[in-house]
Amino acid sequence: MKNETIKLTLDDCRRITGKSLLWEKTGSVLDAFVSGIDKQQVVEQWLVNVQQLQQEVNWSDEATCYRLFEDGISLAISAPMDALYASCELNEAAWILTCKHFSVDIENIENPELVQMSYPELVNKINLSIAEEANPQLMSLMCQAKQQNAPYLVDDDDFSLGYGVTAKTWSVFDLPNPETINWQQYQAVPLALVTGTNGKSTSVRIMSQIIKASGKCCGVTSTDFIRVGEKIIDYGDYSGPGGARMLLRHPDTEFAILEVARGGILRRGLPIDNVDAALITNIAEDHLGQYGINTVEALAKAKAVVAKALTTGTLVLNADDHYLVALAPSLDLKICWFSLDEQNPVLQQHKDNSGAICFNRDGVLTYTNNQGYESDIVHINDIPMTLNGAAKHNIQNALGAIGLAKSLNIDNKSIVQALTAFSSNIDDNPGRGNQFAIKGAKVVMDFAHNAHSMDAMANTSANIPAKRKFLMLSLAGDRSDQEVINMTKSALKMQPDVLVTAELESYLRGREIGDIPSLMAKTAIENGMSAENILYAEGPLAGTKKILEQLQPDDLALLLVLSERNNVIELLQSS
């Protein structure tokens, strides 16, 4: 009889190809929501089922681990790199057996045919999958590459040795004889990871310019594109392992900066096991409720997975971020802290313990290494993206980049050359605080999409003097009412004279036309704006046109644009 009080709902089952939140092994992880029963009881039954299946398929040496979160569980099993799909199958089979044990409905299974199978049929199916996926020659090559300390990359189709100019790639179905390989010819390139809630892409782009100024060809991956030197290889979200492989196999890559986002870390793990340095820009509420990450503290731990890729390298952290400060004691590695305030107690304590720090002293960004040697790097007013100090978030981005560059042994001259040339325009940093001069007024466009980034842009705009201030706000429909209210309040810190609420018809995501603009307008009125100063637009492009029609000299407009970006940019450039 079906148990109506217990509910076990499979959310996702996926391969893990790199170091991850749960551990440093490859394998699979299954996330499930649990109600009506103690989560630990479900885990214990799953462990019984997994271990029995592992014995049946001769995987007794493989490990298990799990994580409990507010409304569910994450269940992981380890597996060889040539058996990751089979490990997902085994994990799902163990979950099906768990659901059957508790007499509950079995929902959302990736392989629904497994549900109807008897136990012997399940075992046979998993064994068959393991046999079909097995590639002993690949596993042997990977083992020898580790022994030879030769960097390698592997995916479903290809195996490669070396990075950049030394990289060579083979099909996983046509691999070389290990005896013919000259292991010493395959070398790594300097590598760094960049993550955080906001500022990742900006930091990656700054680092690209710093490395270029140092005379190296820098390759970058990001949520916007993958680029080697000045050449865009492809547009799209390349913040996961696929982008890293494409970049590191490119012959022109001499230095690599990889943006790694929360989704990629949780979905597949880190793209690279070992890097030379890493940067976490900040932690703020964003995309909670996915992969069992329901709190900002849990999000901080997910971002901090980048630390697992460091052995002798340095982790650069924001000392003005209390989530990172709270997390740091659990990280046993070299840290470089940065802060807007030289007197930040975390900075001062770290300096007293012979740690590297980076800070703002009277407008000068300064770096002190772990031996106490201090360097004045550059004045804030000489960095265009800081808007003479008004853009505090970009001062932080500059500090983080300095800390990361120094951790990678890049000289001060290259850092200064890059920072003083890097601008908030659509060429250097598209979509991040881009500035336009129109009709004697200032227009700033940004792709801010969470409360933290809106805070940054609103505070920047509040610090810029203007006769009148215009704000255009557009938000996606998959945000909760409270998130919409919070982001609207953040944007209103600009203190606009006129607010344009723009519809995002392509981002309704279950909402009705007008829902989000009405909620934004209601929030603005409750926070002191007059209804007659709140306008509605059918989209960001239409909203931009409404503001441009009213612009006068010495006005300031902040456009927060989520869709129609290219059209808005074309309009601003032609105005």
Side-chain angles (χ1 to χ4, degrees), residues 313-327:
T314 300
L315 179 63
V316 183
L317 295 176
N318 185 349
D320 298 328
D321 188 296
H322 67 275
Y323 293 107
L324 291 175
V325 171
L327 184 67

Side-chain angles (χ1 to χ4, degrees), residues 475-500:
L475 298 173
D478 59 353
R479 300 289 189 175
S480 68
D481 283 3
Q482 192 57 53
E483 285 178 308
V484 172
I485 291 169
N486 291 344
M487 286 190 279
T488 302
K489 287 181 177 179
S490 291
L492 289 172
K493 292 177 183 178
M494 177 197 184
Q495 299 181 322
D497 298 288
V498 176
L499 168 66
V500 176

Side-chain angles (χ1 to χ4, degrees), residues 210 376-378 382 411-421:
I210 290 174
D376 289 341
I377 306 294
V378 62
D382 293 330
D411 62 280
N412 292 354
K413 182 180 178 182
S414 298
I415 296 171
V416 173
Q417 181 180 330
L419 286 176
T420 54

Side-chain angles (χ1 to χ4, degrees), residues 378-386 388 416 419-422:
V378 62
H379 197 285
I380 288 169
N381 291 348
D382 293 330
I383 305 174
M385 69 174 180
T386 71
N388 292 320
V416 173
L419 286 176
T420 54
F422 190 86

